[in-house]
Amino acid sequence: MGCLFCNIISGATPSKKVYENEKVYAFEDINPQAPVHVLVIHKTHIEKLEDLTAANSSIMADLFLAVKEVAEIRGIDEKGYRVIINNGTAGGQVIWHLHVHVMGGKDDMGPMVVR
Ligand code: 5GP
Ligand code: ZN
């Protein structure tokens, strides 16, 4: 299989699981950019937001319900946290399996975009 995140879902590539249900998998980012940095992925492989359709739009609901679970598990839900999707090349996406970054664990996550 050519997709790293599909390999993480299957277990072929190891990862540190934070949360899983029948639809989604959440795991620690290998190169954390904040004290809490978890990636949430859907078990259905789609590359990016442009691949969403009315027929598969439940992917986003599944992902964001899992974001909420992850925030609670990691204890950042009350203080708040940042949710990022790097979408497409100019958006900084390097892994072509749609994923949500859940980042927090600080009092202030700083500027939204570094210029
Ligand atoms: P993107 O730029 O595509 O939004 O982010 C990809 C993210 O995947 C990066 O934050 C990077 O650190 C993370 N990543 C890349 N390879 C691996 C890996 O093998 N394991 C884990 N856990 N994270 C990875
Ligand atoms: Zn994939």
Side-chain angles (χ1 to χ4, degrees), residues 42-86:
H42 205 275
K43 292 182 179 179
T44 300
H45 174 102
I46 66 168
E47 285 193 355
K48 55 189 190 297
L49 293 173
E50 282 62 39
D51 300 324
L52 283 171
T53 65
N56 68 15
S57 61
S58 61
I59 286 174
M60 296 313 285
D62 296 336
L63 286 173
F64 280 92
L65 287 169
V67 166
K68 204 175 71 163
E69 294 293 333
V70 165
E72 193 176 331
I73 289 165
R74 297 305 305 272
I76 58 173
D77 53 329
E78 288 195 9
K79 186 176 279 182
Y81 51 95
R82 185 159 288 163
V83 175
I84 294 174
I85 296 175
N86 296 322

Side-chain angles (χ1 to χ4, degrees), residues 8-10 17-27 38-44 58-70 73:
I8 282 178
I9 291 164
S10 75
K17 178 163 82 172
V18 174
Y19 173 77
E20 182 175 20
N21 65 28
E22 67 277 9
K23 303 280 180 52
V24 303
Y25 185 77
F27 57 104
V38 176
L39 300 175
V40 181
I41 59 180
H42 205 275
K43 292 182 179 179
T44 300
S58 61
I59 286 174
M60 296 313 285
D62 296 336
L63 286 173
F64 280 92
L65 287 169
V67 166
K68 204 175 71 163
E69 294 293 333
V70 165
I73 289 165

Side-chain angles (χ1 to χ4, degrees), residues 1 3-6 45-46 96-97:
M1 277 276 292
C3 174
L4 173 64
F5 285 177
C6 283
H45 174 102
I46 66 168
W96 296 94
H97 180 133

